[in-house]
Amino acid sequence: MNDDVFDLIEQAVRAGGAESGFDLLAQRLREDKNYPLLFEARVIEQRHKMGLPPLRVDGLDDIPAGQRDAYEDALAQAAREVGSLFLADGDIARAWPYFRAVGDREPVRAAIEKLDSAEDVVIQIALEERVHPRKGFELLLARYGICRAITYFEQYADRETREQCIILLVRTLHRELLESLRRAISQRQGTALPHSVPELIAGRDWLFGDLDYYVDTSHLVAVIRFALDLADPQALRLAIELCEYGKHLSPQFKYRADPPFDDVYVDHAAYLSALAGENVDACIGHFLAKVREADPNLIGTAPAQVLVALLTRLKRYQDAIQISLEYLSQTSGEQLVCPTVPQLCQLAGDYVRLKQIARDRGDLLSFTAASIHA
């Protein structure tokens, strides 16, 4: 600031008192977009109103106990003012510390929601600070692509927006696959092309030579694995189409995985189809056959646990109880990634059965709980 500003502030204080001086100072700081200094000016203004020396000495907290609430309210108001000015200038990164200080995420969340692209620091605020995880993931996907997004999602911690992010991954990969397939077909046939993967590949076996693929296979396997957590019908349908495409790939692109998903595309398609309500009994039979054929000494109880989890998702609780009793009775609760038998009985509302199972197992806690609810 030049000397004229200092003179003007001095004149304002002489003519109109402290309030006029603070008003002029705030006006000039806003004009100069010196918002951090504006916050400090508001602090000094509040201290003046409270009859305190304008500047703190040695960092001591000299606010009288009876005035602390008013002081903190004034600081919160100043933080919102400064944060809002930064947001108005589109500077989310500098606005966030002020809103974070007062525990107000919504203005920053609303600003992030409007973005089509963002720098790393804004993506970090959205994701790591949990201001807007779903949008942050969308911005990460747009900035760095699906490979980086998949890597990040492996450690994604926000349970509330997890499915929304899976939907983004499924839609993005499905769109990439459609574009690649259409491009390959147009180059050879030049025909008008449909909008689904099954329609595109039907009758076109020439698309799948030994070395032909149309999206990164590691991305494909990762996304259909994430898709097992989906409930959204449209996203499930797209994920199933990804699996159908995978079934047509040459053997060298059909990576094997742990049972019961060892035939990656076939097995994931069966699970996803059941969730989508397609051929449910046949899909359950598919996994039941795997459970019956599995040797627990070689591969453990994963096939049975997956089937119990699927039956639970389908709300076939009695079937899940039966599978668990038959194949998981020797597996401790901490080793399970599916509901336990007592939990399944509770989901089924079958407290009579829970009482009997608890008695047979010597489970006094579950027996008492079942007795009360029965």
Side-chain angles (χ1 to χ4, degrees):
M1 295 184 182
N2 56 39
D3 290 341
D4 290 343
V5 177
F6 291 89
D7 292 338
L8 289 172
I9 290 176
E10 187 174 26
Q11 292 171 15
V13 172
R14 288 175 178 173
E19 183 176 351
S20 296
F22 282 122
D23 286 347
L24 179 58
L25 174 61
Q27 176 186 334
R28 293 306 297 262
L29 292 174
R30 283 195 295 267
E31 290 173 355
D32 293 341
K33 297 187 181 297
N34 195 337
Y35 305 140
L37 202 60
L38 175 61
F39 177 82
E40 298 301 330
R42 294 304 191 198
V43 173
I44 293 174
E45 182 178 10
Q46 181 61 25
R47 290 177 64 84
H48 172 76
K49 290 178 181 178
M50 296 169 64
L52 298 171
L55 304 177
R56 289 195 300 174
V57 179
D58 296 330
L60 296 177
D61 187 358
D62 57 356
I63 309 300
Q67 294 181 297
R68 285 178 182 170
D69 287 347
Y71 183 72
E72 290 176 359
D73 287 346
L75 263 60
Q77 182 177 342
R80 289 190 173 91
E81 177 186 9
V82 170
S84 297
L85 288 168
F86 275 125
L87 286 183
D89 287 349
D91 196 338
I92 293 173
R94 300 187 72 186
W96 168 238
Y98 292 94
F99 285 106
R100 179 177 56 192
V102 297
D104 187 1
R105 296 167 177 260
E106 189 53 38
V108 178
R109 185 186 189 282
I112 292 174
E113 175 63 31
K114 297 175 183 178
L115 298 176
D116 294 321
S117 62
E119 298 298 318
D120 287 351
V121 63
V122 175
I123 295 174
Q124 182 179 5
I125 290 168
L127 284 171
E128 305 301 331
E129 301 280 357
R130 297 291 185 269
V131 174
H132 200 341
R134 188 272 307 164
K135 184 65 176 184
F137 190 79
E138 179 183 326
L139 293 168
L140 176 73
L141 184 59
R143 182 173 175 81
Y144 291 107
I146 196 165
C147 185
R148 177 80 170 268
I150 288 172
T151 300
Y152 182 87
F153 189 78
E154 294 281 1
Q155 290 83 39
Y156 193 76
D158 192 74
R159 296 178 64 87
E160 292 184 3
T161 59
R162 180 178 173 82
E163 184 180 22
Q164 296 173 29
C165 294
I166 297 173
I167 292 172
L168 282 171
L169 287 172
V170 169
R171 288 177 176 170
T172 300
L173 189 63
H174 186 271
R175 183 171 60 252
E176 289 182 9
L177 177 58
L178 283 178
E179 291 172 355
S180 295
L181 288 171
R182 285 173 181 155
R183 186 162 51 249
I185 296 169
S186 295
Q187 289 172 353
R188 177 159 173 167
Q189 296 180 334
T191 56
L193 302 176
H195 297 283
S196 77
V197 172
E199 289 175 321
L200 284 170
I201 63 180
R204 295 188 174 99
D205 292 340
W206 54 265
L207 283 167
F208 299 99
D210 288 342
L211 301 177
D212 292 321
Y213 64 93
Y214 300 91
V215 290
D216 186 290
T217 312
S218 65
H219 296 171
L220 178 65
V221 172
V223 170
I224 62 175
R225 178 166 54 84
F226 296 151
L228 298 179
D229 292 333
L230 284 172
D232 181 81
Q234 292 181 338
L236 281 170
R237 183 63 255 168
L238 296 182
I240 293 168
E241 289 193 10
L242 293 175
C243 292
E244 293 302 318
Y245 154 77
K247 293 178 186 179
H248 286 75
L249 292 171
S250 69
Q252 65 178 314
F253 297 124
K254 293 184 178 180
Y255 306 134
R256 299 190 69 81
D258 294 331
F261 297 105
D262 37 313
D263 193 341
V264 172
Y265 305 116
V266 171
D267 296 331
H268 280 83
Y271 196 101
L272 294 167
S273 294
L275 294 180
E278 301 175 3
N279 303 313
V280 176
D281 290 335
C283 294
I284 291 173
H286 175 86
F287 286 102
L288 181 57
K290 285 178 170 283
V291 172
R292 289 172 173 166
E293 295 167 1
D295 183 346
N297 295 320
L298 295 177
I299 63 173
T301 60
Q305 294 196 47
V306 166
L307 179 54
V308 169
L310 176 59
L311 291 167
T312 303
R313 294 278 303 276
L314 297 173
K315 298 184 179 181
R316 297 194 178 192
Y317 303 124
Q318 295 295 347
D319 292 337
I321 292 169
Q322 190 58 43
I323 294 297
S324 187
L325 289 173
E326 188 172 350
Y327 293 99
L328 300 174
S329 59
Q330 303 302 314
T331 306
S332 60
E334 59 268 17
Q335 295 177 303
L336 293 175
V337 295
C338 61
T340 64
V341 168
Q343 291 169 335
L344 291 167
C345 288
Q346 178 171 286
L347 288 169
D350 192 346
Y351 292 103
V352 173
R353 190 172 190 184
L354 177 54
K355 282 176 63 178
Q356 185 58 54
I357 292 171
R359 181 185 289 274
D360 293 342
R361 292 182 170 184
D363 183 351
L364 186 60
L365 188 63
S366 295
F367 180 83
T368 302
S371 297
I372 292 171
H373 283 280

